[in-house]
């Protein structure tokens, strides 16, 4: 072995040792003095659900701004963007009538769906389990309510795959049903929970067809409905009140630690500040928001001076428009900022498992080489192909490598977009360990580049 090779190995080992010591300090600070859990308590309990355009959303922006300012980064600002302003407008209701039996169903209108009006929709229900079945039954759809009863495929070990597989019925089911004359749609909730809470989420109308009301139904009621329909015809009365107000002003809340050596290379860490309205937006995405803030707090607490410029972003309007993420990428490009890496935490605040990356093979190998440093804190799995909705536009506009923080996925869809997505569903240790992993990865990307 030449002296040069030996020196190289010694230096590499020394660097790894320095890194593991610094990451240990990050972990100690977060696990001993962490603020993420307390921050989440304020966000969920004092502010609550944060639909785009709602007063709580505006309150959350001010909360985020003040919290960032209190940590004294180099810069803090609000980045304005126009956001859609959908309101639920009332309490969504559905009643099933069979013979002289009436049963109220636990439903919630899908986000962006238009209301039924005061008189409601009153029609026979027809169940389908696929779009192919809808197509086959197209001649008997007219005047009916289409019930999409497609369950999460239990064979997927990672629940995001089951969600990705099923979510088409929520996003496009209403318009596909309206195409054949349906008057409304009921969608089996995007969940595999054992309770009966309905899970909302956005739908997209196809403007070619009538915009019919659409609701999600709790899983127990979905099974009940399906069983009843096997025995007899069934009438459902549906009342929803959703509507759009004019677009309104929203903001990304941004803090920056300016790079000391390569300030024109940007690294973004973020989560989204908006949420759906039935719960408190705790796991989606309060946890990503407070983890983002915690990463800034720990760097300041340890006196860490980044080489590159670090941006901490609480994105606006992820749930029903993505206007925040879009605006952030547009401004980055128009200012000629070079964004080398972006990371989002938007898969819940559960036990950390690792990271997923959309980038080059070389970048993937680099991330993989840091696995021994992250693994002691839970971040052992390095997957390819991930990211986050809000950082997607950066990847599309300037090929920024994007990563998704990947916590354990088993319980996420028990609470996702439902009334039980509340502070109490979040575990303090799991939340903090997530912040440790994110901070550790950001430190490594900053130190070595990407
Ligand atoms: Zn989310």
């Amino acid at each position: 072995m030449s002296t040069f090779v030996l020196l190289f190995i010694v230096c590499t080992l020394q660097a790894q040792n320095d890194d593991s010591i610094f990451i240990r300090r990050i972990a100690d600070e977060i696990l001993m003095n962490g603020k993420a859990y307390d921050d989440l308590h304020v966000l969920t309990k004092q502010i609550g659900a944060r639909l785009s355009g709602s007063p709580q959303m505006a309150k959350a922006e001010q909360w985020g701004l003040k919290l960032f300012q209190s940590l004294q980064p180099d810069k803090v600002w609000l980045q304005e963007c126009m956001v859609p302003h959908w309101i639920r407008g009332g309490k969504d209701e559905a009643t099933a009538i069979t013979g002289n039996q009436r049963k109220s169903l636990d439903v919630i209108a899908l986000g962006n769906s238009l209301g039924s009006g005061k008189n409601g929709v009153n029609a026979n229900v027809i169940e389908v389990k696929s779009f192919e079945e809808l197509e086959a039954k197209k001649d008997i759809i007219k005047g009916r309510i289409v019930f999409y009863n497609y369950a999460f495929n239990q064979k997927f070990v990672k629940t995001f795959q089951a969600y990705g597989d099923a979510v088409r019925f929520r996003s496009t089911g209403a318009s596909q049903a309206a195409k054949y004359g349906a008057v409304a749609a009921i969608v089996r909730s995007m969940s595999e929970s054992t309770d009966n809470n309905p899970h909302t989420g956005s739908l997209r109308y196809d403007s070619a067809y009538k915009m019919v009301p659409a609701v999600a139904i709790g899983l127990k009621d979905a099974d009940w409905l399906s069983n009843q329909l096997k025995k007899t015809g069934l009438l459902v009365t549906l009342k929803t009140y959703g509507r759009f107000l004019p677009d309104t002003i929203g903001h990304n809340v941004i803090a920056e630690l300016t790079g000391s050596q390569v300030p024109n290379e940007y690294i973004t860490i973020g989560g989204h500040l908006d949420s759906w309205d039935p719960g408190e937006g705790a796991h989606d995405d309060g946890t990503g928001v407070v983890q983002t803030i915690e990463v800034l707090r720990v760097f300041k607490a340890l006196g860490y001076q980044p080489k590159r410029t670090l941006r901490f972003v609480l994105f606006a309007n992820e749930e029903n428009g993505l206007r925040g993420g879009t605006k952030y990428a547009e401004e980055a490009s128009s200012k000629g900022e070079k964004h080398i890496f972006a990371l989002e935490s938007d898969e819940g605040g559960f036990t950390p498992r690792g990271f997923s990356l959309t980038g080059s093979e070389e970048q993937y190998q680099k991330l993989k080489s840091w696995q021994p440093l992250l693994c002691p804190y839970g971040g052992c799995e390095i997957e390819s192909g991930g990211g986050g909705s809000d950082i997607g536009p950066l990847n599309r506009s300037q090929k920024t490598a994007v990563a998704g923080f990947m916590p354990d996925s088993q319980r996420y869809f028990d609470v996702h977009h439902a009334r039980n997505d509340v502070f109490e569903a979040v575990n303090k240790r799991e939340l903090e360990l997530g912040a440790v992993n994110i901070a550790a990865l950001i430190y490594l990307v900053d130190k070595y580049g990407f």
Side-chain angles (χ1 to χ4, degrees):
M1 196 179 287
S2 73
T3 316
F4 177 75
V5 171
L6 192 64
L7 197 65
F8 178 76
I9 291 171
V10 168
C11 287
T12 305
L13 287 175
Q14 183 56 44
Q16 276 188 0
N17 193 34
D18 290 349
D19 292 337
S20 80
I21 289 168
F22 191 73
I23 291 171
R24 182 69 248 181
R25 288 181 62 207
I26 288 175
D28 288 350
E29 173 60 29
I30 293 175
L31 296 173
M32 298 298 288
N33 306 315
K35 293 283 184 289
Y37 193 65
D38 292 343
D39 291 343
L40 186 68
H41 190 264
V42 176
L43 181 64
T44 53
K45 296 299 179 191
Q46 291 182 24
I47 299 171
R50 307 169 294 279
L51 262 180
S52 289
S54 67
Q56 295 96 313
M57 183 65 220
K59 217 170 144 183
E61 289 172 356
Q62 288 306 312
W63 165 84
L65 185 72
K66 291 211 176 77
L67 201 46
F68 271 154
Q69 283 165 341
S70 74
L71 297 172
Q72 301 184 310
D74 299 310
K75 292 178 196 165
V76 182
W77 72 101
L78 293 175
Q79 183 179 47
E80 190 177 309
C81 60
M82 294 308 284
V83 295
H85 191 183
W86 179 83
I87 58 165
R88 187 166 297 286
K91 185 174 168 8
D92 308 311
E93 287 174 324
T95 308
I97 304 152
T98 51
N100 51 11
Q101 196 194 349
R102 296 172 73 88
K103 177 184 162 62
S104 95
L105 303 172
D106 204 345
V107 298
I108 186 165
L110 296 183
N112 303 338
S113 79
L114 300 185
S116 63
K118 275 205 283 292
N119 298 329
V121 168
N122 200 8
N124 278 298
V125 175
I126 183 163
E127 176 181 341
V128 298
K129 293 205 158 135
S130 66
F131 287 129
E132 291 73 29
E133 190 181 350
L134 178 77
E135 181 76 23
K137 292 178 171 172
K138 65 184 178 192
D139 296 333
I140 52 167
I141 299 294
K142 193 160 194 273
R144 296 202 188 188
I145 297 172
V146 171
F147 167 37
Y148 292 100
N149 192 23
Y150 182 83
F152 267 24
N153 184 340
Q154 299 298 307
K155 289 182 189 168
F156 290 118
V157 173
K158 299 215 164 148
T159 61
F160 279 88
Q161 286 177 280
Y163 177 70
D165 172 53
V167 75
R168 61 190 186 271
F169 297 104
R170 189 194 75 202
S171 52
T172 69
S175 284
Q176 302 241 30
K179 182 170 152 188
Y180 300 126
V183 291
I186 298 174
V187 183
R188 185 184 179 90
S189 284
M190 296 298 125
S191 177
E192 52 198 346
S193 66
T194 51
D195 60 33
N196 195 37
N197 297 328
H199 298 240
T200 189
S202 64
L203 67 63
R204 276 191 321 274
Y205 283 125
D206 181 333
S207 59
Y209 309 107
K210 193 170 177 220
M211 299 183 195
V212 299
V215 297
I217 184 169
L219 301 194
K220 284 183 196 291
D221 283 351
D223 291 339
W224 178 86
L225 195 58
S226 183
N227 283 330
Q228 284 297 311
L229 287 166
K230 286 188 184 84
K231 296 183 242 168
T232 173
L234 194 125
L235 202 67
V236 163
T237 301
L238 204 62
K239 286 185 184 170
T240 67
Y241 307 90
R243 66 192 166 98
F244 278 98
L245 301 178
D247 283 7
T248 184
I249 294 170
H251 302 90
N252 293 326
V253 188
I254 307 176
E256 181 180 298
L257 291 176
T258 307
S260 55
Q261 293 175 31
V262 205
N264 63 333
E265 285 194 4
Y266 292 81
I267 297 166
T268 295
I269 311 107
H272 64 87
L273 195 52
D274 67 314
S275 80
W276 286 109
D277 54 332
E280 297 168 353
H283 278 289
D284 189 13
D285 185 21
T287 51
V289 164
V290 298
Q291 285 171 334
T292 297
I293 298 167
E294 183 69 359
V295 175
L296 171 59
R297 191 195 68 77
V298 72
F299 285 160
K300 290 295 291 188
L302 299 179
Y304 181 68
Q305 287 272 344
K307 286 186 184 176
R308 296 170 169 81
T309 296
L310 306 187
R311 287 267 182 81
F312 304 83
V313 186
L314 316 182
F315 289 98
N317 185 230
E318 188 272 344
E319 297 289 6
N320 64 338
L322 212 62
R323 302 274 184 88
T326 305
K327 176 75 185 184
Y328 184 72
E330 274 171 13
E331 202 167 300
S333 292
S334 73
K335 290 188 171 167
E337 295 169 359
K338 186 182 166 200
H339 285 254
I340 62 159
F341 184 78
L343 185 151
E344 179 154 20
S345 169
D346 186 20
E347 297 183 16
F350 300 100
T351 299
R353 296 286 185 227
F355 296 93
S356 57
L357 176 80
T358 297
S360 67
E361 177 58 26
E362 199 188 338
Q363 287 168 327
Y364 178 75
Q365 291 306 332
K366 192 163 200 176
L367 179 54
K368 199 123 192 164
S369 75
W370 293 328
Q371 191 183 30
L373 292 162
L374 302 169
C375 209
Y377 306 97
C380 298
E381 295 178 27
I382 306 296
E383 288 190 354
S384 66
S389 316
D390 296 296
I391 53 178
L394 270 183
N395 174 261
R396 291 190 282 277
S397 62
Q398 51 171 300
K399 296 204 164 57
T400 304
V402 289
F405 166 61
M406 219 168 43
D408 191 90
S409 73
Q410 299 310 322
R411 286 180 289 140
Y412 186 60
F413 292 97
D414 290 359
V415 303
H416 180 247
H417 300 178
R419 64 173 72 103
N420 55 337
D421 186 12
V422 293
F423 176 74
E424 289 78 3
V426 178
N427 175 280
K428 182 172 184 282
R429 290 281 298 180
E430 293 178 358
L431 174 71
E432 289 172 348
L433 279 167
V436 170
N437 279 270
I438 296 167
L441 177 56
I442 294 301
Y443 157 77
L444 291 166
V445 173
D446 176 52
K447 183 169 170 186
Y448 297 105
F450 207 64

